[in-house]
Amino acid sequence: MTKRAILIIGHGSRYEYNEVTIDEHRNRLENRGYENVYIGFNETSHPFIGEAMIQMAKDGIEEVVAIPFFITAGRHTIEQIPKKLGLKDNENDTYVEFEGRRIMMHYGDPFGDDPVLAEIIRDRINEARTHRKIGILVIGHGSRLPYNKRTIEITAQRLMDMGFDNVRFAFNEFDKPCIEDEMRKLMLTDVDEILVTPLFISLGDHLKNDVPTKIDVGTSTGRKERPEGKSVKVKYLQPIGRDIRLTEAFVTKIEKYYGVRE
């Protein structure tokens, strides 16, 4: 029987949050009966992708489903990670070689436009809100490629379709609109509370250092003053990566290649 494995690919960070988040999903998959679940990081954290591939080759793995744990496609998932998996341009399902062993590689997609992203944010908003009139700011990383912006726009639209008013979106870098501009626009509305919802996998430099400065309330909850003197409560929510529904999304991606478990 073919010895199969799953490789969860993370971005990597000098903080521990990305590692902890990915390890939690690995544990959930193992608890569901999946064997040979490995982790590899694109940068900073260990094991690197290449190190994970070498270990799999040494362990006798013959087939791998590699899933990038990223919100959207971008330079990392399109240019960097495939090369580290031994893939050539535009290859997704082919044999690669590590440590003299040929391994069938299946390279999956990031979450992209999966409706589960909006569903997770919806539930977090409803749990956190304390006022009827709320504004929502969905924050994306931003990218020189179009995929991140498209996903953020679609997610914001889905929230509006779910019945939320005053939904706006912004980006930390590269794309427009910027966070500061959209915060100012929400402050000009009649909302009593603004919920800032980062569409990120885990905490890191951007969410710990960049975004709190741009929304000007720190890292959790604060108040901002309108010109007329009325204050608005601002809540800065956590990233979505640890939600169990993303484990279910992993299962769906795995089943595409390995079939439904008995």
Side-chain angles (χ1 to χ4, degrees):
M1 180 178 291
T2 301
K3 190 171 183 180
R4 292 170 162 173
I6 299 159
L7 176 62
I8 304 174
I9 301 172
H11 183 284
S13 171
R14 63 188 179 91
Y15 299 101
E16 66 176 1
Y17 306 107
N18 195 240
E19 296 175 35
V20 169
T21 298
I22 292 175
D23 199 49
E24 186 168 357
H25 288 285
R26 174 173 63 179
N27 292 337
R28 288 174 183 164
L29 290 173
E30 290 175 341
N31 289 337
R32 291 187 57 147
Y34 287 97
E35 299 177 347
N36 305 316
V37 183
Y38 295 77
I39 292 172
F41 295 95
N42 185 50
E43 58 186 47
T44 310
S45 303
H46 286 274
F48 291 139
I49 293 167
E51 293 171 338
M53 289 301 303
I54 289 170
Q55 186 60 54
M56 282 189 278
K58 290 178 177 179
D59 292 343
I61 299 299
E62 299 168 277
E63 186 175 10
V64 177
V65 171
I67 303 172
F69 195 14
F70 286 67
I71 293 295
T72 63
R75 183 172 56 89
H76 297 307
T77 64
I78 294 173
E79 299 174 6
Q80 298 175 356
I81 293 172
K83 292 179 182 177
K84 295 173 183 179
L85 292 172
L87 297 169
K88 296 177 182 177
D89 290 345
N90 300 316
E91 286 185 336
N92 291 86
D93 301 279
T94 190
Y95 282 97
V96 298
E97 187 169 319
F98 284 84
E99 296 291 293
R101 174 177 290 276
R102 292 180 79 232
I103 300 173
M104 184 64 198
M105 173 63 64
H106 305 289
Y107 182 44
D109 298 319
F111 293 107
D113 301 336
D114 194 319
V116 73
L117 302 180
E119 293 167 7
I120 294 170
I121 289 179
R122 173 200 62 200
D123 293 345
R124 290 184 172 219
I125 290 168
N126 285 331
E127 289 170 4
R129 65 187 298 176
T130 55
H131 291 78
R132 186 176 64 83
K133 289 185 178 180
I134 62 170
I136 299 167
L137 180 60
V138 182
I139 294 179
H141 182 287
S143 173
R144 293 185 178 91
L145 299 177
Y147 310 104
N148 187 254
K149 186 168 187 177
R150 180 174 184 272
T151 294
I152 301 302
E153 289 175 338
I154 288 173
T155 301
Q157 182 59 56
R158 284 178 173 150
L159 291 171
M160 288 187 279
D161 293 341
M162 291 172 180
F164 293 108
D165 298 321
N166 295 310
V167 179
R168 308 194 73 88
F169 61 87
F171 301 92
N172 184 57
E173 58 186 349
F174 301 125
D175 284 312
K176 298 291 185 182
C178 69
I179 294 169
E180 296 93 329
D181 287 348
E182 295 308 295
M183 281 295 292
R184 281 192 288 268
K185 290 175 182 177
L186 281 170
M187 289 293 293
L188 293 174
T189 67
D190 64 348
V191 300
D192 299 309
E193 185 174 41
I194 297 172
L195 293 105
V196 180
T197 62
L199 193 49
F200 282 63
I201 293 296
S202 61
L203 286 171
D205 264 334
H206 297 310
L207 295 189
K208 285 180 69 69
N209 301 317
D210 299 345
V211 175
T213 300
K214 293 174 181 179
I215 64 175
D216 193 28
V217 295
T219 58
S220 57
T221 301
R223 303 194 76 88
K224 290 177 71 71
E225 297 293 327
R226 286 196 173 105
E228 66 272 20
K230 180 182 177 182
S231 66
V232 179
K233 191 173 185 178
V234 179
K235 287 187 176 179
Y236 182 32
L237 306 187
Q238 293 292 304
I240 69 168
R242 298 180 69 176
D243 195 284
I244 196 169
R245 282 168 285 190
L246 296 182
T247 305
E248 298 304 317
F250 273 124
V251 169
T252 299
K253 292 175 183 292
I254 295 164
E255 290 176 345
K256 175 183 175 182
Y257 298 98
Y258 291 164
V260 178
R261 292 179 59 82
E262 296 293 334

